[in-house]
Amino acid sequence: MKRLAVIGDPIGHSLSPLIHMTWIDTLGLDASYESIRVPAGETEAALDDFTHEGFTGLNVTLPHKQAVLAKATRTSDAVKAIGAANTLTRLSDGGWQADNTDAPGLTAALARLGLTDWAGKTILMLGAGGAARAGLFALDQAGAEIILLNRTVEKAQHILGECCARQHRSGPLDDLAEVCGQADLVINTTSAGHGGSHIRLPSGDGRLFYDMSYGAPARPQLQHAGAQGWKTEDGLAMLVCQAAESFSIWFDGKRPDIEIALAVCRAALEQDA
Ligand code: NDP
């Protein structure tokens, strides 16, 4: 039996077991997927334990996305540019391969909305943390023009240089109203909603406001965006799409059903609301 898990701290809220077990059950696969709390500072010791316990794949969430790289014996180009991994796969030589599926997860979630042709399109991205790094890598590779705004402007300049092969613009979040008119799409990667606040937006005029957050933290921001005339979408499909990329790595290229897992996750979030 294939043993899989998601590691993080906190981990109780993770939807990953629900997503992966839905696919494992639907496809009748001989595999298990659990969530395991690993406190900060214990990443490397935990990975040694997981090796001995026979785990073959791990999803990695906060606070371990960078720390796992110390144990990775093979890393994808995306991981190198983004500087973080969310998927580990045991190699036959006993090492771990590190991948970042948040990047293809975002482009797959946008493609699900019919957004695939990025040449000549301008994306305004808000926030410059870990989620932004994956988004920048993906959208730079896809050919979009990016304007990156962050509360701490130096961080925005820094991550553009690290995650993008092409030149893009950056600035303070206070520039939002000024540059918003240039954007075909706005992607919010800030964690403002987790702190109970939201980013104030100018009029959307029917454009898409895509928030990487989902569930309760996303609600005030999406309500505000809707009231300002934006079409809105939360990050739940991105979560499911990044899970599908991990699943595909672990199960020899199998593509699981996105819509089944998305419906199950939506129902779970509604029950929690
Ligand atoms: P980080 O902590 O790495 O980054 C948070 C960012 O938000 C920083 O740029 C920070 O600015 C900014 N920020 C925080 N509070 C405020 C505020 N009140 N006003 C303005 N800016 C603020 O978080 P992550 O990048 O890991 O995660 C961000 C969001 O993306 C979370 O909601 C997370 O759940 C979601 N996410 C969703 C995924 C999905 O699959 N859908 C995958 C990964 C993340 P500063 O730099 O100035 O501190």
Side-chain angles (χ1 to χ4, degrees), residues 206-247:
R207 289 171 294 166
L208 177 64
F209 179 84
Y210 189 93
D211 201 319
M212 281 199 194
S213 305
Y214 48 85
R219 250 171 245 136
Q221 182 70 67
L222 293 175
Q223 266 163 17
H224 168 72
Q228 289 297 100
W230 295 83
K231 275 191 284 181
T232 60
E233 183 75 18
D234 71 6
L236 198 58
M238 175 183 167
L239 180 79
V240 173
C241 288
Q242 65 76 30
E245 297 294 329
S246 301
F247 189 91

Side-chain angles (χ1 to χ4, degrees), residues 62 65 102 127-132 150-152 155 173 189-192 194 197 199 212-214 235-236 238-239 242:
L62 299 177
K65 285 186 167 188
D102 283 334
N150 194 42
R151 189 172 59 178
T152 312
K155 223 157 116 187
L173 198 53
T189 80
T190 75
S191 55
H194 292 267
S197 62
I199 312 287
M212 281 199 194
S213 305
Y214 48 85
L236 198 58
M238 175 183 167
L239 180 79
Q242 65 76 30

